[in-house]
Amino acid sequence: MPTRPGPSYAIFGYDAMRVLGQAFANCSQGDSVTRLCIKQEIGIRDEFAGACGVTYQFSRGERVNAGYYVYAVDPVDGSGPRFRQLHVLTNSDLQATARMHPEGAR
């Protein structure tokens, strides 16, 4: 029996390349494109409108409220592995955990 495919995260890769592409375009207006210029261009961005209506927000170059996905892999006879999403963590979840367990937040 075929299984329904899980969600595709390809759009996030596409959006990441658009962020990089815009940084490259901004840096190429000068004499040369440098790694430092790309890093600075990405670091100064506060918001980015993604291709499918997702608005990414950044603080000091880091994504704000990004989701971190936890999966389990179940073996399926004859059809390969099946991935199950177990949990989605946000930056807020991770920060709360770090406050509760400061010895592990290094």
Side-chain angles (χ1 to χ4, degrees), residues 43-91:
I44 62 173
R45 181 175 300 280
D46 290 331
E47 210 172 80
F48 180 79
C52 288
V54 174
T55 299
Y56 302 94
Q57 295 177 325
F58 300 94
S59 174
R60 297 185 315 230
E62 294 292 326
R63 172 107 188 266
V64 176
N65 291 329
Y68 299 91
Y69 298 84
V70 180
Y71 286 90
V73 180
D74 298 327
V76 178
D77 293 333
S79 64
R82 182 179 315 188
F83 295 86
R84 276 186 303 122
Q85 183 177 314
L86 299 177
H87 196 67
V88 178
L89 297 167
T90 64
N91 282 343

